[in-house]
Amino acid sequence: MFTGIITDIGTVLELEQKGDLRARIGTNYDVAGIDLGASIACDGVCLTVIALGSTPQNWFDVQISAESVSKTNIGGWATGKALNLERALRVGDELGGHIVSGHVDGVAEVVAIRREGDSTRVTFRAPHALAGFIAPKGSVALNGTSLTVNEVEGAEFGINFIPHTQAATTWGKVGLGDRVNLEIDTMARYVARLRDWARA
């Protein structure tokens, strides 16, 4: 379980396709404090640490299934790509964002970017099947970042990125056409399920 508050920007150091995809991710985390088997959200995808090291910099390896690759933007990862990282929530940690599972629902696309004062307004297009779960002033996780939806029109929705968010995450380098991991709010998922069950 995660909060969507990014605590490090990692870098893809290596990618190896051998059965599943294996990725080595450089990090500023103290790897001495990470256990094998720990969960780390990488651009919003909950992945399991299978190896650790500190040479030539701190790094951890994750193994990524074909299912995860097919449901996320991981297929577009390349060496040097920056990733939003968050370690799993511990009992007693501050819940500063919203409850994020790290189970990505689909991939949204950046369709517009414009400056608004010191902030940047970005418009995303969600997959049709997920658009109904996104509501104005509701929460979404995009590339692992807990964000508040400003407006919704059809399958498109807008997010305002303040300067702090742009500096503390990879959102400072967002570009048109970027494919981003989208996790809808857990509450919205259950409300929709209850509604559908009542109609059955």
Side-chain angles (χ1 to χ4, degrees), residues 10 19 27 30-31 47-48 91 117 137-138 150 162 164 169 184:
T27 181
D30 178 4
V31 294
L47 298 172
T48 301
V91 174
K137 304 312 174 187
N150 285 338
I162 63 172
H164 172 78
T169 70
I184 59 174

Side-chain angles (χ1 to χ4, degrees), residues 23-44:
R24 177 160 295 179
I25 298 170
T27 181
N28 292 309
Y29 292 144
D30 178 4
V31 294
I34 300 175
D35 293 329
L36 291 179
S39 295
I40 298 179
C42 304
D43 260 5

Side-chain angles (χ1 to χ4, degrees):
M1 200 65 70
F2 305 91
T3 68
I5 303 300
I6 303 307
T7 53
D8 188 24
I9 298 177
T11 305
V12 176
L13 301 177
E14 298 176 18
L15 292 166
E16 182 182 17
Q17 188 72 55
K18 184 183 286 187
D20 288 336
L21 178 64
R22 182 168 174 148
R24 177 160 295 179
I25 298 170
T27 181
N28 292 309
Y29 292 144
D30 178 4
V31 294
I34 300 175
D35 293 329
L36 291 179
S39 295
I40 298 179
C42 304
D43 260 5
V45 185
C46 178
L47 298 172
T48 301
V49 174
I50 61 170
L52 296 156
S54 57
T55 304
Q57 67 178 98
N58 289 350
W59 56 265
F60 61 92
D61 283 359
V62 292
Q63 194 168 8
I64 308 166
S65 70
E67 171 72 8
S68 293
V69 173
S70 71
K71 298 292 191 216
T72 68
N73 67 6
I74 291 175
W77 285 10
T79 302
K81 177 176 173 55
L83 302 174
N84 292 321
L85 301 181
E86 182 188 357
R87 295 191 60 185
L89 183 65
R90 294 175 295 186
V91 174
D93 283 352
E94 179 180 349
L95 183 59
H98 72 283
I99 295 294
V100 176
S101 69
H103 302 156
V104 171
D105 295 291
V107 177
E109 180 184 358
V110 176
V111 295
I113 302 171
R114 69 177 187 273
R115 297 287 297 176
E116 286 190 355
D118 292 329
S119 299
T120 300
R121 178 67 62 91
V122 180
T123 302
F124 300 86
R125 181 176 297 121
H128 179 77
L130 299 177
F133 294 96
I134 301 171
K137 304 312 174 187
S139 296
V140 291
L142 296 173
N143 280 354
T145 313
S146 175
L147 297 162
T148 301
V149 176
N150 285 338
E151 72 282 331
V152 178
E153 185 172 343
E156 295 186 359
F157 62 98
I159 302 285
N160 189 61
F161 292 92
I162 63 172
H164 172 78
T165 302
Q166 295 177 64
T169 70
T170 61
W171 288 108
K173 297 181 180 178
V174 64
L176 279 174
D178 284 357
R179 299 175 74 248
V180 303
N181 293 322
L182 166 64
E183 180 183 329
I184 59 174
D185 184 39
T186 299
M187 188 178 300
R189 187 193 321 272
Y190 284 114
V191 167
R193 174 63 177 152
L194 287 169
R195 179 200 61 201
D196 293 345
W197 182 259
R199 290 177 179 170

